[in-house]
Structure formats: structure tokens, C-alpha cells
Coordinates of all heavy atoms in Angstrom, one line a residue:
N1 N -42.1 -10.4 -6.2 CA -43.6 -10.6 -6.2 C -44.1 -10.5 -4.8 O -43.8 -11.4 -4.0 CB -43.9 -12.0 -6.8 CG -45.3 -12.3 -7.0 OD1 -46.2 -11.7 -6.3 ND2 -45.7 -13.1 -8.0
P2 N -44.8 -9.4 -4.5 CA -45.2 -9.2 -3.1 C -46.1 -10.4 -2.6 O -46.0 -10.7 -1.4 CB -46.0 -7.9 -3.1 CG -45.5 -7.2 -4.3 CD -45.1 -8.3 -5.3
I3 N -46.9 -11.0 -3.4 CA -47.8 -12.0 -2.9 C -47.0 -13.3 -2.6 O -47.1 -13.9 -1.6 CB -48.9 -12.3 -4.0 CG1 -49.8 -11.1 -4.2 CG2 -49.7 -13.6 -3.6 CD1 -50.8 -11.3 -5.3
V4 N -46.1 -13.7 -3.5 CA -45.3 -14.9 -3.3 C -44.4 -14.7 -2.1 O -44.3 -15.6 -1.3 CB -44.5 -15.3 -4.6 CG1 -43.6 -16.4 -4.3 CG2 -45.5 -15.6 -5.7
D5 N -43.7 -13.6 -2.1 CA -42.7 -13.4 -1.1 C -43.3 -13.1 0.3 O -42.8 -13.5 1.3 CB -41.7 -12.2 -1.5 CG -40.9 -12.5 -2.7 OD1 -40.5 -13.7 -2.8 OD2 -40.7 -11.6 -3.5
G6 N -44.4 -12.4 0.3 CA -45.1 -12.1 1.6 C -45.7 -13.3 2.2 O -45.4 -13.6 3.3
F7 N -46.5 -14.0 1.4 CA -47.1 -15.2 2.0 C -46.2 -16.4 2.1 O -46.3 -17.2 3.0 CB -48.4 -15.6 1.2 CG -49.5 -14.7 1.3 CD1 -49.7 -13.6 0.4 CD2 -50.4 -14.8 2.4 CE1 -50.8 -12.8 0.6 CE2 -51.5 -14.0 2.6 CZ -51.6 -12.9 1.7
G8 N -45.1 -16.4 1.3 CA -44.1 -17.4 1.4 C -43.3 -17.2 2.8 O -42.9 -18.3 3.4
L9 N -43.2 -16.0 3.2 CA -42.5 -15.8 4.5 C -43.4 -16.4 5.7 O -42.8 -17.1 6.6 CB -42.4 -14.3 4.8 CG -41.9 -13.9 6.2 CD1 -40.4 -14.4 6.4 CD2 -41.9 -12.4 6.4
I10 N -44.7 -16.3 5.6 CA -45.5 -16.9 6.6 C -45.4 -18.4 6.6 O -45.4 -19.1 7.6 CB -47.0 -16.5 6.4 CG1 -47.1 -14.9 6.5 CG2 -47.9 -17.1 7.5 CD1 -46.5 -14.3 7.8
A11 N -45.3 -19.0 5.4 CA -45.2 -20.4 5.3 C -43.9 -20.9 5.9 O -43.8 -21.9 6.6 CB -45.2 -20.9 3.8
M12 N -42.8 -20.1 5.8 CA -41.5 -20.4 6.4 C -41.6 -20.2 7.9 O -41.0 -21.0 8.6 CB -40.4 -19.6 5.8 CG -40.2 -19.9 4.3 SD -38.9 -18.9 3.5 CE -37.5 -19.4 4.4
I13 N -42.3 -19.2 8.4 CA -42.5 -19.0 9.8 C -43.2 -20.2 10.4 O -42.9 -20.7 11.5 CB -43.2 -17.7 10.1 CG1 -42.3 -16.5 9.7 CG2 -43.6 -17.6 11.6 CD1 -42.9 -15.2 9.9
A14 N -44.2 -20.7 9.7 CA -45.0 -21.9 10.2 C -44.1 -23.1 10.2 O -44.3 -24.0 11.1 CB -46.2 -22.1 9.3
L15 N -43.1 -23.2 9.3 CA -42.2 -24.4 9.2 C -41.2 -24.4 10.3 O -40.8 -25.4 10.8 CB -41.6 -24.4 7.8 CG -40.5 -25.5 7.6 CD1 -41.2 -26.9 7.8 CD2 -39.9 -25.4 6.2
A16 N -40.7 -23.2 10.7 CA -39.6 -23.0 11.6 C -39.8 -23.7 12.9 O -39.0 -24.5 13.4 CB -39.3 -21.5 11.8
P17 N -40.9 -23.5 13.7 CA -41.2 -24.2 14.9 C -41.2 -25.7 14.8 O -40.8 -26.4 15.7 CB -42.5 -23.6 15.4 CG -42.7 -22.3 14.7 CD -42.0 -22.6 13.4
I18 N -41.8 -26.1 13.7 CA -41.9 -27.6 13.5 C -40.5 -28.2 13.5 O -40.3 -29.2 14.2 CB -42.6 -27.9 12.2 CG1 -44.1 -27.3 12.2 CG2 -42.7 -29.4 11.9 CD1 -44.8 -27.5 10.9
I19 N -39.6 -27.6 12.8 CA -38.3 -28.2 12.7 C -37.5 -28.1 14.0 O -36.9 -29.0 14.5 CB -37.5 -27.5 11.5 CG1 -38.1 -27.9 10.2 CG2 -36.0 -27.9 11.6 CD1 -37.4 -27.3 9.0
F20 N -37.6 -26.9 14.6 CA -36.8 -26.7 15.8 C -37.3 -27.5 17.0 O -36.5 -28.0 17.8 CB -36.7 -25.2 16.1 CG -35.6 -24.5 15.4 CD1 -35.6 -24.4 14.0 CD2 -34.5 -24.0 16.1 CE1 -34.5 -23.7 13.4 CE2 -33.5 -23.4 15.5 CZ -33.4 -23.2 14.1
V21 N -38.6 -27.6 17.1 CA -39.2 -28.4 18.2 C -38.9 -29.9 18.0 O -38.6 -30.6 19.0 CB -40.7 -28.1 18.4 CG1 -41.3 -29.1 19.4 CG2 -41.0 -26.7 18.8
M22 N -39.0 -30.3 16.8 CA -38.6 -31.7 16.5 C -37.1 -32.0 16.7 O -36.8 -33.1 17.2 CB -39.1 -32.1 15.1 CG -40.6 -32.1 15.0 SD -41.2 -32.6 13.3 CE -40.9 -34.4 13.4
L23 N -36.3 -31.0 16.4 CA -34.9 -31.2 16.7 C -34.6 -31.3 18.2 O -33.8 -32.1 18.6 CB -34.1 -30.0 16.1 CG -33.9 -30.0 14.6 CD1 -33.2 -28.7 14.1 CD2 -33.0 -31.2 14.1
L24 N -35.4 -30.5 18.9 CA -35.3 -30.6 20.4 C -35.8 -32.0 20.8 O -35.2 -32.6 21.7 CB -36.2 -29.6 21.0 CG -36.3 -29.5 22.6 CD1 -34.9 -29.3 23.2 CD2 -37.3 -28.5 23.0
G25 N -36.8 -32.5 20.2 CA -37.3 -33.9 20.5 C -36.3 -35.0 20.2 O -36.1 -35.9 20.9
V26 N -35.5 -34.8 19.1 CA -34.5 -35.7 18.8 C -33.4 -35.7 19.8 O -32.8 -36.7 20.2 CB -33.9 -35.4 17.3 CG1 -32.6 -36.2 17.1 CG2 -35.0 -35.6 16.3
Y27 N -33.0 -34.5 20.2 CA -32.0 -34.3 21.3 C -32.4 -35.0 22.5 O -31.6 -35.7 23.2 CB -31.7 -32.8 21.5 CG -30.8 -32.5 22.7 CD1 -29.5 -32.6 22.6 CD2 -31.4 -32.2 23.9 CE1 -28.6 -32.4 23.6 CE2 -30.5 -32.0 25.0 CZ -29.2 -32.1 24.9 OH -28.4 -31.9 26.0
I28 N -33.7 -34.8 23.0 CA -34.1 -35.4 24.2 C -34.1 -36.9 24.1 O -33.8 -37.6 25.1 CB -35.6 -34.9 24.5 CG1 -35.5 -33.4 24.7 CG2 -36.1 -35.6 25.7 CD1 -34.6 -32.9 25.8
R29 N -34.5 -37.4 22.9 CA -34.6 -38.9 22.8 C -33.2 -39.6 22.8 O -33.1 -40.6 23.4 CB -35.3 -39.2 21.5 CG -35.5 -40.7 21.2 CD -36.3 -40.9 19.9 NE -36.4 -42.3 19.7 CZ -37.0 -42.9 18.6 NH1 -37.5 -42.1 17.7 NH2 -37.1 -44.2 18.5
F30 N -32.2 -38.9 22.2 CA -31.0 -39.7 22.0 C -29.9 -39.1 22.9 O -28.9 -39.8 23.2 CB -30.5 -39.6 20.5 CG -31.4 -40.3 19.6 CD1 -32.3 -39.7 18.9 CD2 -31.3 -41.7 19.5 CE1 -33.1 -40.4 18.0 CE2 -32.1 -42.4 18.7 CZ -33.0 -41.8 17.9
I31 N -30.0 -37.9 23.4 CA -28.9 -37.3 24.1 C -29.3 -36.8 25.5 O -28.7 -37.1 26.5 CB -28.3 -36.1 23.4 CG1 -27.8 -36.5 22.0 CG2 -27.1 -35.5 24.2 CD1 -27.3 -35.4 21.1
G32 N -30.4 -36.1 25.6 CA -30.8 -35.5 26.8 C -31.4 -36.5 27.9 O -31.6 -36.1 29.0
G33 N -31.8 -37.7 27.5 CA -32.4 -38.6 28.4 C -33.8 -38.2 28.8 O -34.4 -37.4 28.1
R34 N -34.3 -38.7 29.8 CA -35.7 -38.5 30.3 C -35.8 -37.6 31.5 O -36.7 -37.5 32.2 CB -36.4 -39.8 30.6 CG -36.4 -40.8 29.5 CD -37.1 -40.3 28.3 NE -38.6 -40.0 28.6 CZ -39.4 -39.6 27.7 NH1 -39.0 -39.3 26.4 NH2 -40.7 -39.4 28.0
N35 N -34.7 -36.8 31.7 CA -34.7 -35.8 32.8 C -35.6 -34.6 32.4 O -35.8 -34.4 31.2 CB -33.3 -35.4 33.2 CG -32.5 -36.5 33.7 OD1 -33.0 -37.4 34.4 ND2 -31.2 -36.5 33.4

């Protein structure tokens, strides 16, 4: 389904930075310290 798969890809692209930036925030909070 071009509509579902095409626009679904954009939804996943929008989700990707949210997860990865927040994972970076988790790393900074518990492992990376405040440097």
C-alpha cells in the first residue's frame, strides 16, 4: 500500500531522532556525567 508504507516511513523517521536523542540523554544522565 503506497500510502500506508510511504507515509508510515515518514512517521518512523520522525520517531528515530526522538528515541536516539533520548537514549543519549539517558547515557549522559547515568554514565557520561555532566562533562
Side-chain angles (χ1 to χ4, degrees):
N1 187 332
I3 295 178
V4 173
D5 295 323
F7 287 95
L9 174 65
I10 300 305
M12 294 178 67
I13 292 175
L15 176 61
I18 298 175
I19 291 179
F20 272 68
V21 172
M22 292 181 74
L23 285 174
L24 178 62
V26 172
Y27 172 81
I28 297 304
R29 181 178 179 183
F30 292 101
I31 301 174
R34 302 299 298 181
N35 296 323

